[in-house]
Amino acid sequence: MIISFKQLEKEDLGRVVQLNYRVNQFTMNSIRYSIEDYNLRLSENHQFVVVHVSDKFGEYGIVGLLGYTIDKKNHMNVYNFFLSCRALGRG
């Protein structure tokens, strides 16, 4: 398996919102964000990292997201995290 991380890009928003509404087991909280919510947070300097998975059988695409801010003391404050249970179950 190849697991990679990258900054959220505008073209990823549709998949991220879809996952955000579907994932129930492996989520930090039950808050559901819309595309507009993510766009607002991006404009407020929130950071998002998407998790992408592939293996020898194919691409799973974006399977998770980490949302955070960095405060004035350079601390990372994570407020959103979710991961698809299908990807987690792949081992």
Side-chain angles (χ1 to χ4, degrees):
M1 291 188 81
I2 299 170
I3 302 168
S4 59
F5 304 89
K6 68 172 190 158
Q7 292 294 316
L8 175 68
E9 297 175 9
K10 296 276 185 183
E11 59 266 13
D12 301 328
L13 285 174
R15 174 63 177 151
V16 166
V17 169
Q18 179 187 51
L19 273 174
N20 191 193
Y21 278 87
R22 284 182 162 183
V23 172
N24 292 313
Q25 290 178 312
F26 300 104
T27 183
M28 185 174 153
N29 57 44
S30 60
I31 298 172
R32 308 298 189 206
Y33 294 115
S34 67
I35 287 178
E36 293 79 17
D37 293 328
Y38 282 108
N39 278 322
L40 177 63
R41 283 167 176 73
L42 284 168
S43 71
E44 294 173 344
N45 294 322
H46 291 230
Q47 302 294 314
F48 296 97
V49 175
V50 293
V51 182
H52 182 274
V53 174
S54 62
D55 67 14
K56 65 182 180 179
F57 300 109
E59 296 280 327
Y60 297 95
I62 295 172
V63 297
L65 176 111
L66 174 72
Y68 64 94
T69 58
I70 303 293
D71 68 17
K72 292 179 182 178
K73 294 181 179 180
N74 209 29
H75 296 148
M76 176 189 255
N77 300 301
V78 175
Y79 65 88
N80 196 4
F81 173 76
F82 54 84
L83 184 65
S84 167
C85 61
R86 289 184 182 151
L88 190 61
R90 301 292 304 168

